[in-house]
Amino acid sequence: MPETLDVLAAADLCVDLVLRGDVRPRFGQAEQLVEGYALELGGSACLFASQFAKLGGRAGVAGFLGADLFGRFARERLAECGVEVSRVRARTGLQTGLGLALAAPDDRAILTCLGSIDAAEPEDLDPAWLGACRHWHIASYFLLRKLRPHWPAWLRRAREAGVTVSLDPNFDPDERWAGVRELLPLVDVFLPNATEARAIAGVGDLREAGRRLAARGPLTVIKCGAEGVLAFDGTRAFERVAEPAPRIADAIGAGDCFDAGFLRAWQAGLELGACLAWGQRCAAASLAEPGGVRGQLACMADAFRVGSGRMKEASV
């Protein structure tokens, strides 16, 4: 185990079974054909950590897997990607989480069996972990239901320990979006997509949503897919257009890979434009292959010693 990790996350541990095809499922025993499938590592925190590790960072995840075939697959895949897994435990009688995704080129439908995704309890978070990392990342906030009430106290403890914090909320299956705004004063970097930003801020205008979220404290980076990215730092707003992706297999994990590229550059002290550029580069690489891991960008750690990105400041 590395003495100090660059980033550690409570993981929504699961696997993804991704079906590819432009079909809409129908009941009535209707059998439809798809183009292909892929079984791959899933979970936003796991995809994030895998991409972060491939960029030369030291990343770890903590949580539970089922003592089953999918659990062994997920653990082995994480280790293959360079993620530190000593804090991942197998639990008998627990099913490893499963995401069943039907992916079209520009969208996807997802059915999720929580299983191990939501297995961690507040008492499973070891305070010693905050002494073993520089940064704590929260992904799948709404799926880690048992941990939600515990995050305020945990993040205050992280701040006292000098550990920075990022939060990617992901989608709320209940569409209530509760609890995130209250966490933001304890977060350094907030990484929603456009839909999540509007819903959490409670306003339809995306720039106004960004201003409201950033006013609560964090650097707010809003992922807008093919339209680019917006960043709100205090009273300033920035935007960076997206570079066209050469090929799109599916969009699974693109947002998590963006988070990893952005935070890897941010930790290295690069200026904001370069951080956004690294995030977009990682997201675009992910799009080229099915699932969230196969297309991930790999590079040497010294790539983060220099860098810049084309960015313009927008009116606020």
Side-chain angles (χ1 to χ4, degrees), residues 27 37 56 102 110 114 168 179 181 186 199 223-225 249 255 301 313:
F27 283 92
Y37 70 90
L102 176 58
I110 308 170
L114 281 175
D168 184 340
R181 285 194 297 270
L186 300 171
K223 296 165 284 190
C224 305
E313 186 165 354

Side-chain angles (χ1 to χ4, degrees), residues 20 247-252 284-296:
R20 299 189 303 278
R247 188 173 88 88
I248 300 178
D250 63 52
I252 294 171
S286 173
L287 294 172
E289 298 292 339
V293 171
R294 298 185 186 192
Q296 287 181 335

Side-chain angles (χ1 to χ4, degrees), residues 37-141:
Y37 70 90
L39 179 65
E40 193 49 274
L41 178 67
S44 289
C46 295
L47 301 183
F48 161 83
S50 298
Q51 177 62 94
F52 195 95
K54 290 177 184 178
L55 298 176
R58 294 167 296 177
V61 294
F64 292 96
L65 286 166
D68 52 27
L69 179 63
F70 284 162
R72 291 192 294 274
F73 172 84
R75 187 184 183 95
E76 290 171 2
R77 197 73 177 95
L78 280 165
E80 288 171 1
C81 292
V83 178
E84 204 283 311
V85 294
S86 68
R87 299 170 183 84
V88 175
R89 289 164 282 176
R91 179 182 288 176
T92 302
L94 176 69
Q95 283 189 312
T96 297
L98 174 66
L100 176 62
L102 176 58
D106 60 347
D107 201 0
R108 66 188 185 273
I110 308 170
L111 297 175
T112 300
C113 176
L114 281 175
S116 58
I117 292 173
D118 190 34
E121 307 272 359
E123 56 268 25
D124 295 317
L125 295 181
D126 185 347
W129 293 350
L130 292 175
C133 67
R134 299 170 53 207
H135 184 87
W136 186 267
H137 181 66
I138 299 176
S140 292
Y141 171 83

Side-chain angles (χ1 to χ4, degrees), residues 214-231:
R216 302 189 72 87
L219 168 61
T220 297
V221 179
I222 302 177
K223 296 165 284 190
C224 305
E227 297 179 11
V229 61
L230 295 173

Side-chain angles (χ1 to χ4, degrees), residues 87-216:
R87 299 170 183 84
V88 175
R89 289 164 282 176
R91 179 182 288 176
T92 302
L94 176 69
Q95 283 189 312
T96 297
L98 174 66
L100 176 62
L102 176 58
D106 60 347
D107 201 0
R108 66 188 185 273
I110 308 170
L111 297 175
T112 300
C113 176
L114 281 175
S116 58
I117 292 173
D118 190 34
E121 307 272 359
E123 56 268 25
D124 295 317
L125 295 181
D126 185 347
W129 293 350
L130 292 175
C133 67
R134 299 170 53 207
H135 184 87
W136 186 267
H137 181 66
I138 299 176
S140 292
Y141 171 83
F142 294 106
L143 294 184
L144 301 180
R145 298 173 300 177
K146 296 172 185 173
L147 295 179
R148 268 190 262 169
H150 188 61
W151 284 133
W154 181 262
L155 296 191
R156 282 193 290 270
R157 181 173 284 175
R159 179 151 292 184
E160 291 169 1
V163 174
T164 52
V165 173
S166 54
L167 168 61
D168 184 340
N170 300 122
F171 194 81
D172 179 8
D174 298 324
E175 298 191 53
R176 296 177 59 189
W177 308 100
V180 175
R181 285 194 297 270
E182 292 73 18
L183 274 186
L184 293 184
L186 300 171
V187 171
D188 296 282
V189 184
F190 184 44
L191 295 153
N193 67 24
T195 298
E196 296 154 2
R198 291 186 179 101
I200 292 167
V203 62
D205 181 81
L206 191 57
R207 292 181 183 277
E208 178 60 24
R211 286 191 289 267
R212 291 188 184 189
L213 296 169
R216 302 189 72 87

